[in-house]
Amino acid sequence: MGVEVISVSVDSHFVHKMWNDHELSKMVKGGVPFHMASDQAGNVGRAYGVWDEIQGIELRGRFIIDPDGIIQAMEVLTPPVGRKFAESVRQIQAFQHVRATGGKEATPAGWEPGKITLKPGPDLVGKIWEVWKPDME
Amino acid sequence: MAETAGCARVTGAVQGEKAPSTGASQSPELPERKETVMTARVGQKAPDFTAPAYYKGGFTPIKLSDFAGKWVLLCFYPGDFTFV
């Protein structure tokens, strides 16, 4: 997929190293494979709207940024609930597909690679029910 | 971005903004509180920033705009050694 991952928290890069060495490397073989950035004063978090002024931490914000530097997707959770990585992967695959078609195709709800895409145009108006059914899974 | 010396606080910085002054100010007045403005929006340019970072055993500062031409997944989280 060719995606660079950057994580950001208010911990210093020294703490990131300790966390990687003492805990994360026991969960992920070879340790964390991406950049773990430090933002102790919350400057980056503020710019992205995920800075919690009261607690002095960054909320679980996730941003998909395309090769032109445009934010295509964002999601923010409060701390107690973790994300589902597979959903981020699915969204990146969908945005990459749309980009590869030059915006001529769109991906309906629940789309995954291999499933039908929609080609917006006059022929499709009122006819989506013929080519696509919602998947409530 | 200069490597942070000694015990100075390490933090990210938004690019294109004046960096906040560190250390020298001994003014008893509290710094003016900046209004928190959320500038990140879908369909808009991602705010560029620099930040100290740990990467594969080394300390390598990163700059978002250095990743231009690539897809980037940017994830914030509350803290190292927490539970979720």
Side-chain angles (χ1 to χ4, degrees):
Chain A
M1 291 174 72
V3 180
E4 292 284 344
V5 177
I6 302 170
S7 69
V8 187
S9 77
V10 295
D11 305 281
S12 73
H13 47 328
F14 309 120
V15 176
H16 288 330
K17 180 181 189 319
M18 286 296 111
W19 192 31
N20 174 69
D21 294 357
H22 293 283
E23 187 164 60
L24 299 181
S25 58
K26 291 168 184 148
M27 303 178 190
V28 182
K29 201 164 181 282
V32 172
F34 52 78
H35 307 267
M36 302 174 77
S38 299
D39 188 33
Q40 288 192 293
N43 295 329
V44 183
R46 273 188 205 91
Y48 282 82
V50 298
W51 177 249
D52 185 319
E53 196 75 45
I54 312 267
Q55 299 182 75
I57 53 140
E58 278 156 354
L59 302 168
R60 293 186 196 283
R62 184 226 60 187
F63 299 81
I64 296 172
I65 301 168
D66 77 10
D68 296 322
I70 304 296
I71 299 172
Q72 293 293 350
M74 56 194 278
E75 171 191 70
V76 187
L77 309 181
T78 53
V81 173
R83 296 168 265 236
K84 186 168 173 67
F85 183 61
E87 175 58 8
S88 293
V89 172
R90 188 196 73 82
Q91 290 183 15
I92 293 169
Q93 287 170 327
F95 282 113
Q96 288 183 334
H97 182 88
V98 169
R99 187 178 171 93
T101 66
K104 289 194 172 65
E105 294 183 20
T107 65
W111 183 86
E112 286 171 353
K115 288 192 176 178
I116 188 169
T117 57
L118 301 176
K119 297 171 186 65
D123 297 343
L124 194 59
V125 177
K127 299 280 175 52
I128 290 172
W129 65 275
E130 289 179 4
V131 296
W132 179 78
K133 301 272 186 294
D135 182 356
M136 292 303 191
E137 266 177 44
Chain B
M1 183 180 57
E3 183 65 22
T4 310
C7 299
R9 213 159 176 234
V10 293
T11 193
V14 174
Q15 293 303 286
E17 264 184 21
K18 205 178 149 221
S21 65
T22 49
S25 169
Q26 294 294 320
S27 164
E29 293 162 37
L30 285 170
E32 198 177 312
R33 186 166 285 279
K34 260 203 308 187
E35 190 74 23
T36 302
V37 181
M38 182 167 165
T39 55
R41 286 182 63 186
V42 289
Q44 304 286 322
K45 194 89 176 164
D48 192 18
F49 65 89
T50 58
Y54 172 75
Y55 181 57
K56 289 183 175 173
F59 296 128
T60 319
I62 58 160
K63 187 178 188 190
L64 181 66
S65 50
D66 287 346
F67 296 92
K70 292 177 174 173
W71 288 85
V72 173
L73 185 65
L74 178 65
C75 293
F76 294 84
Y77 63 99
D80 293 357
F81 291 108
T82 58
F83 302 99
V84 178

